[in-house]
Amino acid sequence: MLFYDPTYILVLFGFLLASIASLGVDSAFKRYSRVKSYRHYTAGDAARKILDDNGLYDVRIERTGGNLTDHYDPSANVIRLSDSTINSDSVAAIGVAAHEAGHAVQHAVGYAPIKIRNSMVPAVNICSRISMPLFILGLILGLTNLANIGIILFSGALIFQLITLPVEFDASRRAIKILDSSAMLDEEELKGAKKVLFAAAMTYVAAVLASALQLLRLVLISNSRRRD
């Protein structure tokens, strides 16, 4: 029952949602990577301008390897833009870079959800590592309380993902607003950037749904074992 059971359909459905979202962002990025900004800003230039316009002169911009590995690292106070992004003048790349700059602005203004999210990181890392081992051990040993502790810890990771949603959507909102007000992108280009950032946001939504389905599966398995 633990390794082969009907509840695996929930995991498969979650995997399908995540895969569709991933394909969506890849497709949107590739499409708008072929659309060049009429002002010929590079993504690195756009991020630097957004940071400077918000007084964030101390936030550095660095190159990082990979594709769509762009992120803001608050601990190092640096935005890392991927090889496919940093020197590109495409609408897609500029949108992604502006989004990461939006995260830096969130930190600077003390945006509440990102402060809550960051404070949860150490605990969530522990929950993510030990929740499933505790759950499985509880089932194997017939210790319902131990399995339930695993479920509770897994729930903590899901809550973290839920808090991440407003953080990501707000960073994209800030990015689009700044790109519009600064005229770095024209109206049509802005529509493309919105589509790229929306597709990226959907990967976070899909991740939340996949985790919620996994949590439901754990609860169903635990209840089934309790009845047995």
Side-chain angles (χ1 to χ4, degrees), residues 8-198:
Y8 267 121
I9 190 66
L10 297 175
V11 176
L12 292 175
F13 187 54
F15 175 78
L16 179 61
L17 288 174
S19 297
I20 291 172
S22 179
L23 288 173
V25 70
D26 286 343
S27 175
F29 189 84
K30 287 178 181 177
R31 176 182 178 184
Y32 289 100
S33 288
R34 295 190 290 268
V35 180
K36 304 300 180 181
S37 163
Y38 84 103
R39 286 180 174 265
H40 300 294
Y41 276 100
T42 67
D45 293 336
R48 184 72 269 162
K49 177 173 172 53
I50 292 172
L51 293 173
D52 291 349
D53 286 352
N54 284 274
L56 303 179
Y57 307 106
D58 58 333
V59 179
R60 295 174 290 112
I61 297 174
E62 296 178 352
R63 179 192 292 269
T64 189
N67 180 46
L68 293 180
T69 53
D70 313 88
H71 62 280
Y72 171 60
D73 182 353
S75 63
N77 206 26
V78 60
I79 291 175
R80 298 191 176 96
L81 299 179
S82 63
D83 293 332
S84 59
T85 299
I86 190 166
N87 290 321
S88 173
D89 62 351
S90 73
V91 168
I94 291 172
V96 169
H99 174 89
E100 299 309 329
H103 281 311
V105 174
Q106 287 175 332
H107 278 271
V109 300
Y111 179 60
I114 204 167
K115 292 172 67 176
I116 296 171
R117 179 185 180 277
N118 289 343
S119 68
M120 292 177 64
V121 169
V124 169
N125 286 338
I126 296 173
C127 290
S128 298
R129 284 196 298 269
I130 68 174
S131 59
M132 289 305 295
L134 287 179
F135 177 77
I136 293 172
L137 186 62
L139 292 186
I140 292 173
L141 299 178
L143 300 175
T144 302
N145 288 339
L146 185 61
N148 287 340
I149 290 174
I151 291 175
I152 292 170
L153 293 179
F154 188 89
S155 300
L158 176 58
I159 291 171
F160 177 80
Q161 289 180 309
L162 285 169
I163 293 174
T164 296
L165 288 181
V167 172
E168 294 301 324
F169 278 102
D170 179 76
S172 291
R173 180 191 64 79
R174 291 174 190 270
I176 294 301
K177 183 178 180 180
I178 293 171
L179 290 174
D180 185 20
S181 63
S182 64
M184 276 191 275
L185 296 180
D186 66 22
E187 185 176 350
E188 286 302 311
E189 292 168 344
L190 203 62
K191 290 179 181 178
K194 286 180 180 178
K195 289 180 180 178
V196 171
L197 295 181
F198 179 78

